[in-house]
């Protein structure tokens, strides 16, 4: 099978498309012929930070849609020809406060979905949402699940509340925008790009302003109940000042520096809530699928790249050119 492989050199220079061995599924495993493989910033981190050229070759990728091509003899949930999506979380079945010990994400350290076929146990697949195309389903799981848990499991978002999404543009926050609007929330976004602000307003945002502007002035008259923070040190204290007293910040990532400083006295006098969030369980994935089916939500797709344009796609997401999801067409 053809696959996007990282080996031999560090960083993007180690990316290549090559033939890899195609295996046969074991008794409880399913082989999926990949149609579309969604790309996430995690894939960029794998090839630029976590996986080194001297390490054994790895196939990145956590998301995919495809068709069941072969099943092991003990598989009961799926049959040949089923349209499915890959659950990017390995070993987190039931909802819990934190992922269980040993939780991993597809695509590192083991091989991922940027290949013509992918094999996993039947517990790590779900049927494709019927209202989505294969391209839309292929860019769904990781980012949409992350947004769903951050908003609802951790953030406890309710209809009528106001949620703020600094740094709109990536997959998770574009899903968070659509989910929050479907729930009946007011949504405020920021971006460094005027074009992305326009795209966010077109996608349903109620208010949008530049990240480098005066947040306090822009938020006059607003009461932010929940803020989803994914930028890190560059905006964290502005985010804290943006939330109403007693409000909540949920953070799932950091695109700038990881370490932040805060005035702890202001924090506890403000009765703020600061919560971490990481992707989600298979139980939450199924709840998310039911949510998007009920509300007929479709992913925001920016671009789908052909398989042989791997380095171009990684550069595109590195430079944050996308509004919404990108992916690879595998078949």
């Amino acid at each position: 099978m053809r696959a996007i492989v990282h080996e031999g050199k560090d960083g993007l220079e180690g990316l290549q498309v090559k033939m890899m061995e195609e295996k046969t599924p074991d008794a409880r495993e399913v082989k999926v012929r990949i149609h579309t493989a969604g790309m996430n910033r995690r894939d960029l981190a794998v090839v630029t930070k976590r996986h080194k050229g001297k390490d054994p070759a790895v196939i990145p990728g956590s998301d995919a849609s495809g068709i069941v091509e072969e099943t092991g003899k003990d598989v009961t949930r799926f049959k040949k020809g089923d349209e499915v999506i890959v659950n990017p979380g390995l070993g987190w079945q039931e909802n819990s406060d934190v992922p269980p010990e040993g939780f991993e994400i597809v695509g590192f350290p083991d091989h991922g979905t940027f290949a013509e076929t992918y094999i996993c146990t039947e517990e790590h697949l779900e049927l494709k949402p019927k209202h989505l195309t294969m391209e839309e389903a292929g860019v769904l799981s990781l980012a949409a699940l992350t947004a769903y848990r951050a908003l609802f499991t951790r953030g406890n978002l309710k209809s009528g509340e106001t949620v703020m999404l600094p740094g709109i543009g990536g997959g998770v926050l574009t899903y968070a925008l659509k989910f929050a609007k479907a729930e009946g929330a007011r949504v405020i976004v920021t971006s460094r790009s005027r074009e992305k602000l326009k795209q966010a307003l077109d996608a349903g945002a109620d208010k949008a302003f530049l990240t480098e502007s005066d947040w306090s002035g822009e938020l006059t008259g607003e009461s932010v109940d929940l803020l989803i923070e994914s930028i890190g040190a560059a905006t964290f204290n502005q985010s804290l000042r943006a939330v109403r007293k007693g409000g909540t910040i949920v953070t799932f990532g950091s695109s700038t520096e990881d370490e932040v400083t805060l005035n702890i006295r202001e924090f506890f006098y403000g009765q703020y809530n600061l919560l971490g969030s990481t992707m989600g369980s298979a139980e939450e994935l199924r709840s998310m699928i039911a949510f998007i089916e009920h509300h007929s939500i479709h992913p925001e797709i920016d671009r789908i790249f052909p398989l042989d344009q791997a380095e171009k796609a990684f550069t595109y997401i590195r430079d944050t050119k996308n509004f919404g999801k990108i992916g690879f067409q595998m078949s």
Side-chain angles (χ1 to χ4, degrees):
M1 65 176 180
R2 290 201 308 157
I4 298 170
V5 179
H6 189 256
E7 67 173 341
K9 296 180 181 180
D10 289 349
L12 300 187
E13 291 185 355
L15 288 169
Q16 57 182 301
V17 177
K18 62 180 288 187
M19 294 298 296
M20 295 288 281
E21 179 185 2
E22 190 163 336
K23 298 181 179 180
T24 300
D26 291 335
R28 292 290 305 281
E29 291 183 330
V30 179
K31 178 189 280 190
V32 179
R33 177 66 55 177
I34 301 299
H35 184 283
T36 302
M39 189 178 188
N40 298 282
R41 291 197 70 84
R42 178 182 189 273
D43 304 313
L44 179 66
V46 166
V47 304
T48 58
K49 298 178 182 179
R50 303 180 191 178
H51 187 265
K52 304 300 180 183
K54 65 180 181 297
D55 297 334
V58 68
I59 300 171
S62 304
D63 282 336
S65 65
I67 297 175
V68 173
E69 185 171 89
E70 186 178 353
T71 61
K73 64 182 180 62
D74 294 334
V75 170
T76 59
R77 293 183 64 212
F78 303 99
K79 64 183 184 302
K80 185 176 179 178
D82 282 345
E83 294 182 339
V84 296
I85 60 173
V86 173
N87 177 354
L90 300 174
W92 191 2
Q93 288 298 309
E94 297 179 353
N95 198 11
S96 56
D97 289 340
V98 295
E101 193 71 27
F103 171 71
E104 296 282 0
I105 299 176
V106 172
F108 187 78
D110 296 327
H111 288 323
T113 59
F114 290 172
E116 291 178 320
T117 63
Y118 176 71
I119 292 176
C120 64
T121 63
E122 62 179 335
E123 288 81 10
H124 294 101
L125 294 174
E126 298 294 336
L127 289 172
K128 179 184 79 67
K130 291 182 175 62
H131 73 296
L132 299 185
T133 66
M134 291 295 273
E135 288 79 11
E136 291 172 328
V139 302
L140 179 71
S141 298
L142 189 147
L145 176 57
T146 301
Y148 187 86
R149 179 175 173 87
L151 281 177
F152 300 117
T153 306
R154 302 294 282 154
N156 198 28
L157 181 66
K158 297 290 191 299
S159 177
E161 293 185 333
T162 296
V163 60
M164 185 170 174
L165 308 173
I168 191 74
V172 176
L173 293 188
T174 52
Y175 280 120
L177 166 58
K178 294 192 175 196
F179 292 175
K181 290 305 298 180
E183 187 66 15
R186 177 174 171 80
V187 179
I188 301 170
V189 305
T190 81
S191 174
R192 292 179 297 173
S193 163
R194 293 184 185 276
E195 177 61 24
K196 290 183 180 181
L197 293 179
K198 180 181 181 302
Q199 290 172 299
L201 289 169
D202 290 343
D206 297 283
K207 184 180 182 67
F209 56 87
L210 291 168
T211 303
E212 58 268 31
S213 65
D214 174 17
W215 289 24
S216 60
E218 295 285 355
L219 292 172
T220 299
E222 299 282 359
S223 179
V224 177
D225 302 289
L226 172 64
L227 186 146
I228 307 299
E229 168 62 54
S230 62
I231 300 175
T235 59
F236 184 82
N237 279 289
Q238 288 190 94
S239 294
L240 187 58
R241 288 190 292 271
V243 177
R244 66 168 175 82
K245 290 186 177 181
T248 299
I249 293 178
V250 176
T251 176
F252 68 86
S254 175
S255 58
T256 60
E257 292 83 2
D258 292 346
E259 295 186 6
V260 300
T261 59
L262 59 86
N263 184 316
I264 195 65
R265 191 170 299 277
E266 289 182 2
F267 184 84
F268 64 69
Y269 274 131
Q271 304 284 310
Y272 298 106
N273 305 292
L274 176 60
L275 303 172
S277 190
T278 303
M279 227 167 69
S281 65
E283 183 179 351
E284 286 167 303
L285 178 63
R286 289 188 285 272
S287 295
M288 181 273 291
I289 291 171
F291 183 85
I292 67 167
E293 288 180 327
H294 177 73
H295 293 285
S296 297
I297 295 172
H298 292 262
E300 192 78 29
I301 295 182
D302 183 286
R303 288 184 64 178
I304 300 294
F305 290 84
L307 177 59
D308 59 4
Q309 291 187 7
E311 188 170 349
K312 183 177 181 179
F314 273 81
T315 301
Y316 191 78
I317 200 169
R318 180 198 66 190
D319 296 341
T320 61
K321 293 182 178 180
N322 57 302
F323 182 85
K325 293 294 298 179
I326 69 173
F328 291 104
Q329 194 77 44
M330 294 297 180
S331 61

